[in-house]
Amino acid sequence: MNQENSQDSLPDDRQPTTRVMARPGDTNGAGDIFGGWIMSQVDIAASIAAYRRAKGRVVTVAVNEFQFHKPVFVGDLISCYAQITNVGRTSITIFVEVYAERNREGREECIKVTKATLTFVAVDEDRNPRVVPPA
Ligand SMILES: CC(C)(COP(=O)(O)OP(=O)(O)OC[C@H]1O[C@@H](n2cnc3c(N)ncnc32)[C@H](O)[C@@H]1OP(=O)(O)O)[C@@H](O)C(=O)NCCC(=O)NCCS
């Protein structure tokens, strides 16, 4: 791939669920962004989509798939796009795509860095599964 053009673009048909800047405190010992930080951002974005659909409290029951395609660096603007892919009786499955926007040495880039699928369960006040209400 041509380096100058080797970039993705943000989805233009939807809004990101979350946006956050990767900061120095989010790095691992090597100075790169810690994978666990990205996993946390994905969980937050997915939980927002699940919470809205469940019209209330949800908990993460499973991380079905998680792929780190490209590294994330300090200063990257991270956008998480969460989409509902399945609604069960009490569960909601969410697909999340993560993009990093950066400007290095005057060159703007937008790279799809991560994708993941997570399942949430709608729970009641006693943390027991509850039926997902109609949309
Ligand atoms: C989520 C929780 C309430 C589910 O309780 P449970 O008694 O296991 O509930 P069930 O077996 O009835 O499963 C509930 C739903 O989750 C789904 N589910 C359970 N385990 C799953 C898994 N590993 N992957 C995908 N879906 C799963 C079931 O298929 C079911 O979906 P459906 O109702 O749409 O068919 C319970 O496991 C729990 O409290 N887990 C801890 C959650 C948590 O604290 N998360 C944050 C971690 S820090």
Side-chain angles (χ1 to χ4, degrees), residues 55-130:
K55 299 183 169 70
R57 189 172 181 177
V58 293
V59 292
T60 314
V61 71
V63 177
N64 312 113
E65 183 211 5
F66 214 110
Q67 281 187 48
F68 298 99
H69 299 293
K70 302 281 182 182
V72 172
F73 303 111
V74 171
D76 286 0
L77 177 59
I78 301 302
S79 299
C80 296
Y81 290 79
Q83 286 179 277
I84 296 169
T85 57
N86 189 62
V87 178
R89 199 178 80 85
T90 66
S91 68
I92 301 169
T93 299
I94 309 286
F95 177 61
V96 182
E97 294 166 290
V98 183
Y99 292 81
E101 292 174 87
R102 63 180 68 116
N103 191 324
R104 298 182 124 190
E105 297 167 358
R107 187 159 63 93
E108 291 183 349
E109 285 185 326
C110 176
I111 308 288
K112 185 172 170 178
V113 291
T114 294
K115 71 177 179 190
T117 305
L118 300 86
T119 301
F120 293 79
V121 174
V123 293
D124 62 20
E125 58 191 18
D126 297 319
R127 297 193 181 85
N128 295 314
R130 66 180 167 89

Side-chain angles (χ1 to χ4, degrees), residues 5-24:
N5 298 316
S6 66
Q7 63 175 36
D8 304 304
S9 53
L10 297 177
D12 56 9
D13 57 342
R14 52 210 160 104
Q15 293 295 313
T17 312
T18 60
R19 266 194 176 136
V20 64
M21 187 79 78
R23 299 174 305 168

Side-chain angles (χ1 to χ4, degrees), residues 26-57:
D26 307 318
T27 56
N28 60 24
D32 299 323
I33 294 298
F34 173 49
W37 179 80
I38 298 167
M39 295 177 87
S40 172
Q41 300 309 317
V42 167
D43 193 31
I44 291 167
S47 71
I48 290 171
Y51 177 91
R52 284 180 175 154
R53 179 61 187 82
K55 299 183 169 70
R57 189 172 181 177

